[in-house]
Amino acid sequence: MTVPDGASPKVSVPRLLILWSFARPHQRSLALALVLALVGSGMGLATPMVTKGVLDALGGSDSLRGPLLALLLLLVVGSAVMYGQWTLLGALGERVVLRARESMVRRFLRATVPAVTRRPPGELVTRVTSDTVLLHQAATGAPVGLINAVVMLLGTLVLMGVLDLVLLGTVAAAVAVVGVLFAVLMPGIATAQQRAQDHLGRLGGNLEGALRAIRTVKAGRAEDRTAERIVADARVSAEYGVRANRREALAWTIALAGIQLAIILVLGVGAWRVAEGDLEVSSLIAFLLYAFGLMDPISELSQNITTLQSGIAAAERIRETDELDSEEGAVREGPVQEAVVVVEKTSVQDTPVLELRAVTAAYGPDAKPAVRGVDLVIPRHGHTAIVGPSGAGKTTLFSLVLRFLEPTGGELLLDGRPYRDHSHDEIRSRLAYVEQDTPVVPGTIRDNLLLSRPDATDAELRRVLDEVRLAEKVDALGDGLDTPLSGAAVSGGERQRIALARALLRTPDVLLLDEATAQLDGLTEAAVQSCVRARAATGAVVTIAHRLSTVIDADTIVVMEAGRVRARGSHGELLATDTLYRELVEALRIAAPAGRPESTILG
């Protein structure tokens, strides 16, 4: 949530409630921390009075044992209370941060695909990593510190009044001036800090995108230009940070100067009153101790107000993630889910596994439909290939089938039942999907293979690796299945085969492949195509095809154009009857001769 130029964020009640929502689950611990803070402050307030007793005992030749023991007791108990308070608040802050991070991570992964992809990933990461840090103090230490500082300030002023009302008036005037100046300066500090954090989020998003495309950046010799665009946000963030520091430095300078001026006035007026016999020396010394200590509650007030304002801005950014559209339905346990699926399989063998009826879909309420009026039947067995020029709607069909995108018209059916009667988890439990661009997730080879079937055995892992001709390669790696995929241990084609092996491990009813052979050599592609044919004999395989070798084996080829199904049939039928399909083939010189054509690109 950004703040317009010239506007100042104010700590209003609704904004405070947003921050309080993070602290509410820990209110008992907060109450205990507040009690400890108040006890510690009370002991600090008692110290000057006990010091006055020591001085009075010296003047009256009384025993010093009692006052000195009291000072020692205040020191020991006060230190123990302070340790307990800081330990409690530190642990509490970590729990608040953990809960916020856990909530956001789960929210991101449960959100709909369009809700997540419309924001830069780096910005979302910044909210999890950077914004949550601001909650550590704002949601725990700041509220306790504010209340404690107010109590300590009022207590100090009351005890000053007990010692001498004239000197109290002198100090109160200085405190009032400092308070007014703080009230003027603090909103500007919060505004600058919030804008700095906003630009920091943009920096994270831009940097993440640049690192993801690092090869493209280097190939285009655009390192410096890309760095300049990213650093621009860093500069703006630093500029606002400097503004906040300047205002904060001015506030502290005024506060320190105000307290020092008050001490000078206390010394002057106090010495005069002692000389007149209206004030004892011990009372003046105790009053000066309170005056020297007056900076502590004032500084604590200013620090916690600043922390509170920064925390509120962070809390608002974090709560914005709650607005992400979430996919409905909870994840069901494996055994129950499989039992439901078995019943469905045995009762609907005569119906298509998937069906699209007059489906229309768009990527936003005002966006042009990406597909419109699509009718498509996917039988329980066989290979269906989807081809067409770029922008024809092929990937959108996969997004609809996987329920990443909801249709705006028509309906999809699974086993003859509308998608709306199934949860997202039920639908995806029947499907396996291999992406073309990002086929693996962070982690090891084993992590990737077990992603959707964590109970698979090593023998089953070995079987699917053999199917995609990758077992020998994995065995040759130093860590084998536990080799991380974050480095360059495997090539792009090998990553694609790992993703395909992961999908084959699922033994899904429908295998969705977004050109799973795009980065493979001819021999390896032939092995993968053999896997696809074997899977098509026992289940449904749907591919977005860019190679003729993929199309030639398909039982049905669906040609798409401008978001619609233009034609369907076999390779030979479409070459003879559909001009677009023939033009795609002929334009790339891949017209099939007799026998099996070479592996070439189709669009």
Side-chain angles (χ1 to χ4, degrees):
M1 187 173 295
T2 57
V3 179
D5 291 340
S8 298
K10 297 180 180 179
V11 186
S12 62
V13 172
R15 300 183 76 214
L16 279 173
L17 290 178
I18 294 176
L19 183 61
W20 174 244
S21 67
F22 290 94
R24 186 185 299 113
H26 312 281
Q27 50 188 327
R28 290 186 179 179
S29 297
L30 277 175
L32 177 58
L34 178 58
V35 170
L36 292 175
L38 293 176
V39 170
S41 296
M43 292 184 175
L45 290 174
T47 300
M49 284 297 188
V50 176
T51 303
K52 179 180 181 300
V54 172
L55 295 176
D56 289 338
L58 283 174
S61 299
D62 296 332
S63 174
L64 296 176
R65 179 179 299 176
L68 289 177
L69 286 176
L71 284 176
L72 183 60
L73 181 64
L74 289 174
L75 173 63
V76 173
V77 176
S79 298
V81 169
M82 185 182 301
Y83 173 79
Q85 177 201 346
W86 286 352
T87 302
L88 179 60
L89 285 178
L92 184 57
E94 292 297 335
R95 289 199 295 272
V96 168
V97 169
L98 173 61
R99 183 164 182 163
R101 285 173 174 167
E102 182 178 359
S103 174
M104 276 194 289
V105 168
R106 295 186 185 280
R107 168 67 68 174
F108 293 161
L109 296 180
R110 281 292 177 194
T112 63
V113 172
V116 174
T117 55
R118 72 169 59 105
R119 299 168 184 254
E123 180 186 343
L124 299 179
V125 170
T126 299
R127 299 193 186 204
V128 174
T129 55
S130 180
D131 286 348
T132 51
V133 172
L134 297 177
L135 289 180
H136 192 289
Q137 286 295 323
T140 56
V144 171
L146 275 175
I147 297 173
N148 183 56
V150 170
V151 171
M152 194 168 182
L153 180 60
L154 293 177
T156 300
L157 294 176
V158 168
L159 291 175
M160 281 180 167
V162 170
L163 292 170
D164 192 85
L165 290 174
V166 174
L167 294 181
L168 173 63
T170 304
V171 173
V175 170
V177 173
V178 171
V180 170
L181 292 174
F182 258 88
V184 172
L185 292 172
M186 294 310 288
I189 296 174
T191 300
Q193 288 176 334
Q194 181 170 336
R195 290 176 181 167
Q197 193 67 18
D198 287 341
H199 283 279
L200 190 62
R202 295 179 196 172
L203 183 150
N206 292 334
L207 179 60
E208 189 273 342
L211 293 177
R212 187 184 295 274
I214 187 65
R215 292 177 176 82
T216 301
V217 171
K218 286 184 175 295
R221 297 177 294 113
E223 295 96 332
D224 292 338
R225 282 174 284 136
T226 303
E228 186 63 28
R229 285 196 296 270
I230 296 172
V231 171
D233 279 310
R235 291 196 186 102
V236 176
S237 179
E239 180 183 342
Y240 281 116
V242 169
R243 290 185 189 179
N245 287 332
R246 285 176 180 172
R247 282 180 170 265
E248 198 167 355
L250 179 59
W252 283 108
T253 301
I254 290 172
L256 185 59
I259 296 302
Q260 289 177 339
L261 176 61
I263 291 173
I264 292 173
L265 292 174
V266 166
L267 278 173
V269 175
W272 171 72
R273 289 179 61 75
V274 169
E276 292 294 321
D278 297 329
L279 185 67
E280 296 177 352
V281 174
S282 61
S283 296
L284 176 59
I285 294 174
F287 197 98
L288 285 171
L289 289 176
Y290 281 122
F292 281 118
L294 197 61
M295 191 62 192
D296 291 337
I298 291 178
S299 63
E300 191 172 357
L301 271 173
S302 62
Q303 285 178 342
N304 286 307
I305 289 175
T306 301
T307 300
L308 198 64
Q309 290 176 320
S310 300
I312 288 173
E316 289 174 335
R317 283 169 52 85
I318 292 171
R319 280 298 179 221
E320 283 178 359
T321 64
D322 291 342
E323 299 173 4
L324 294 176
D325 294 332
S326 180
E327 294 180 343
E328 298 177 357
V331 178
R332 297 185 181 182
E333 295 297 326
V336 176
Q337 175 180 294
E338 294 300 325
V340 173
V341 172
V342 169
V343 172
E344 291 178 345
K345 285 182 180 179
T346 58
S347 60
V348 292
Q349 289 299 318
D350 296 333
T351 62
V353 63
L354 283 174
E355 187 175 359
L356 285 73
R357 295 178 180 173
V359 170
T360 297
Y363 287 95
D366 301 322
K368 181 180 178 181
V371 296
R372 62 181 74 205
V374 172
D375 292 306
L376 184 63
V377 173
I378 306 297
R380 287 188 179 278
H381 303 94
H383 181 191
T384 302
I386 303 174
V387 301
S390 177
K394 304 184 295 294
T395 300
T396 301
L397 282 189
F398 271 23
S399 295
L400 287 163
V401 169
L402 289 158
R403 210 170 181 182
F404 297 157
L405 182 68
E406 296 291 340
T408 56
E411 66 178 357
L412 290 87
L413 297 93
L414 176 65
D415 289 335
R417 290 174 53 203
Y419 261 36
R420 61 178 176 272
D421 293 342
H422 300 272
S423 70
H424 290 75
D425 187 63
E426 287 172 342
I427 293 170
R428 293 169 190 165
S429 71
R430 309 282 298 280
L431 313 173
Y433 174 47
V434 179
E435 301 175 69
Q436 178 181 357
D437 297 329
T438 54
V440 295
V441 296
T444 65
I445 295 175
R446 185 189 303 275
D447 293 334
N448 270 269
L449 294 175
L450 297 178
L451 183 69
S452 56
R453 195 186 157 196
D455 59 341
T457 65
D458 283 353
E460 290 173 315
L461 298 183
R462 179 76 186 191
R463 174 181 58 79
V464 293
L465 289 174
D466 279 330
E467 287 185 42
V468 298
R469 300 271 183 98
L470 203 57
E472 292 183 3
K473 169 66 179 180
V474 172
D475 290 341
L477 296 173
D479 295 322
L481 286 170
D482 297 314
T483 301
L485 285 173
S486 56
V490 294
S491 66
E494 288 163 346
R495 288 169 178 259
Q496 201 164 32
R497 279 185 280 164
I498 289 171
L500 179 58
R502 178 178 64 213
L504 294 174
L505 188 64
R506 289 272 312 279
T507 60
D509 291 341
V510 183
L511 178 61
L512 301 169
L513 304 175
D514 190 350
E515 189 46 86
T517 61
Q519 302 182 51
L520 305 182
D521 59 74
L523 290 176
T524 307
E525 181 189 357
V528 171
Q529 293 293 354
S530 177
C531 293
V532 171
R533 288 193 296 272
R535 187 50 53 96
T538 59
V541 178
V542 184
T543 61
I544 293 177
H546 299 276
R547 289 190 177 190
L548 186 58
S549 57
T550 303
V551 175
I552 203 71
D553 282 330
D555 298 296
T556 302
I557 302 171
V558 177
V559 183
M560 295 195 66
E561 181 185 26
R564 298 180 182 274
V565 174
R566 172 187 173 95
R568 67 191 79 204
S570 67
H571 174 67
E573 292 170 345
L574 291 173
L575 276 178
T577 60
D578 188 73
T579 56
L580 174 61
Y581 185 80
R582 188 166 55 249
E583 287 170 2
L584 286 171
V585 172
E586 291 174 351
L588 296 171
R589 298 178 182 177
I590 59 172
R596 180 167 300 281
E598 294 182 357
S599 172
T600 46
I601 294 181
L602 179 61

